[in-house]
Amino acid sequence: MGRVTPTVLVAGIDAAGRPAHPALAEALAGAGLVVGAARHLAAVPVPPGCATVVLGPLAPALDRLAAAVAAGTPAVVLASGDPGFFGIVRRLRAAGLPVRVLPAVSSVAAAFARAGLPWDGAAVVTAHGRDPRPALNACRALPAVAVLTAPGAGAAELAAGLAGWDRRLVVAEHLGTPDERITWTTPSEAAATTWTDPHVVLSLAPETVAGSAGMRADDQPAAAPAGGWALPESAYAHRDSMITKAEVRALAVARLRPRLGRLVWDVGAGSGSVGIECALLGAAVLAVERDPDAPIRANAARHGVDVRVVTGAAPGALAGLPDPDAVFVGGGGLDVLAAVADRRPPRVVVTLAALDRVAPAVHLLRAAGYAVDGSQLAAARLADLPGGSLRLAATNPVVLLTGELP
Ligand SMILES: C[S@@+](CC[C@H](N)C(=O)[O-])C[C@H]1O[C@@H](n2cnc3c(N)ncnc32)[C@H](O)[C@@H]1O
């Protein structure tokens, strides 16, 4: 028989309040090194005299674990919930350490359980150790999102960023411990509250809470839409042809690069078709439109996406809106484009029907530091002629500009 490679046992501490896995006590009894957060080390019977490393910083702990493995010393790592789910297993593997995992109930599963909600259609995102904006944008885009938090990027900060979006929040602190606290709240209340770590946040659309709609159990949260995009104009209510044509929309949406975690503004949204297709592809969307009767909300509901509508005229209406990753300017003049460029979104897409605006728009974007390209798009659609013949029916040409910051 070959030599058995020593492995690091990684044990989850349950977030649902269940006792630790029976194999953990046995492993601890024989361990030469135990690594874990102070609260986890305090929660299990570490034998007297056993070396411990308190997390904190991971690098020194990884070095100690590597040395233990090399020396054949049994080592245990304690972690929260399921250590393979947004947890320490990734880092241990990246450090080349062999691991065996005893998973426990994750904080996300426990939080949904405490809320009494299913979670197979929910997205799970993390604000832990990274830019928290993608997590926030996922909450803005989707009807059920669980957020793993970090100090400084927790419930209060997320809630502040959700102002203007219709959400209920569940903040689950210290799950599975005597200090567990589950709070149903609103973004405005949560933004003004001090929360204790660790906690997870569930961001829920009202339909999700009501159980009437929302979470898609049959699908990945931000999978490409089943019905596709660049949909025909007939897929949207619109007035007086105030809608970006499907062929133009296809390129505009592609250039905006919508995806889960990003925020797109649709300025001069009209029917909202461009923003709605960005939302179908997972982005959070803010539609700015001066006409209060524009059918954006109805169109968004028809396509099952959440688009926040800001009724007002740009550029004034843009003040105070959260910073976007990409902006579509489908309506409004050069003053609107200038105000958009001032906000420095990484990408701007503009459609222009008036030729006299093309050169000034290009110059404006270039002067603001954008690399600009553009093309004229003129689709001619198949149409029937009497007698079974076909003809081409012209649609109005437009110029589409894309500006990208280097
Ligand atoms: C690195 S992630 C670890 C997730 C873990 N693997 C799990 O399955 O729960 C750390 C984050 O998980 C959440 N968390 C972990 N344990 C928790 C608990 N007992 N109560 C509430 N949140 C917890 C917090 O958001 C914390 O910042």
Side-chain angles (χ1 to χ4, degrees):
M1 224 166 71
R3 195 168 154 265
V4 178
T5 314
T7 55
V8 175
L9 182 81
V10 192
I13 303 296
D14 204 279
R18 294 183 317 174
H21 195 287
L24 176 59
E26 200 183 310
L28 285 171
L33 174 67
V34 183
V35 173
R39 69 179 197 277
H40 293 147
L41 289 167
V44 299
V46 179
C50 176
T52 56
V53 175
V54 182
L55 300 172
L58 203 53
L62 293 174
D63 291 344
R64 292 281 296 275
L65 287 165
V69 169
T73 304
V76 175
V77 175
L78 304 170
S80 58
D82 180 348
F85 185 66
F86 292 92
I88 199 165
V89 169
R90 178 170 282 111
R91 296 289 298 274
L92 296 172
R93 297 292 310 200
L97 292 165
V99 297
R100 187 160 76 86
V101 183
L102 294 178
V105 172
S106 164
S107 54
V108 176
F112 275 107
R114 295 288 190 262
L117 289 169
W119 66 289
D120 42 4
V124 184
V125 296
T126 180
H128 201 94
R130 64 192 73 193
D131 177 1
R133 280 177 306 172
L136 173 59
N137 285 330
C139 296
R140 291 166 170 161
L142 296 175
V145 180
V147 187
L148 299 164
T149 64
E157 293 80 7
L158 276 173
L162 286 172
W165 274 266
D166 192 6
R167 292 290 179 268
R168 304 289 172 274
L169 301 179
V170 179
V171 183
E173 299 167 276
H174 303 284
L175 282 157
T177 76
D179 298 326
E180 175 173 303
R181 188 167 70 134
I182 310 293
T183 310
W184 286 81
T185 181
T186 59
S188 58
E189 270 174 20
T193 303
T194 303
W195 304 97
T196 56
D197 294 310
H199 62 270
V200 292
V201 181
L202 307 183
S203 167
L204 308 167
E207 317 84 77
T208 305
V209 178
S212 56
M215 247 188 286
R216 295 186 281 172
D218 57 337
D219 211 346
Q220 290 302 305
W229 61 99
L231 303 174
E233 290 86 79
S234 58
Y236 301 95
H238 56 94
R239 296 189 317 169
D240 310 325
S241 296
M242 292 291 280
I243 179 165
T244 305
K245 300 288 180 293
E247 294 86 348
V248 176
R249 203 177 330 116
L251 186 60
V253 170
R255 290 285 166 87
L256 290 164
R257 294 197 213 149
R259 71 190 300 262
L260 188 62
R262 292 189 180 155
L263 175 65
V264 177
W265 288 0
D266 181 358
V267 180
S271 70
S273 66
V274 172
I276 287 167
E277 295 193 356
C278 290
L280 282 168
L281 291 159
V285 177
L286 259 167
V288 179
E289 171 55 53
R290 69 174 161 217
D291 178 0
D293 298 324
I296 304 168
R297 284 191 188 84
N299 282 328
R302 174 170 172 187
H303 291 282
V305 291
D306 204 338
V307 167
R308 181 180 156 200
V309 180
V310 174
T311 303
L318 306 179
L321 300 183
D323 287 336
D325 297 288
V327 179
F328 179 67
V329 183
L334 291 171
D335 56 337
V336 173
L337 190 57
V340 165
D342 273 351
R343 297 293 293 270
R344 318 297 300 149
R347 274 174 301 288
V348 181
V349 177
V350 193
T351 50
L352 297 162
L355 283 185
D356 50 311
R357 286 193 182 158
V358 173
V362 171
H363 295 147
L364 187 158
L365 285 171
R366 286 194 176 142
Y370 285 85
V372 182
D373 68 29
S375 39
Q376 182 262 112
L377 302 174
R381 294 178 172 175
L382 281 181
D384 290 314
L385 278 175
S389 301
L390 293 169
R391 71 178 183 99
L392 287 170
T395 58
N396 286 338
V398 297
V399 173
L400 184 141
L401 302 178
T402 304
E404 281 201 69
L405 284 181

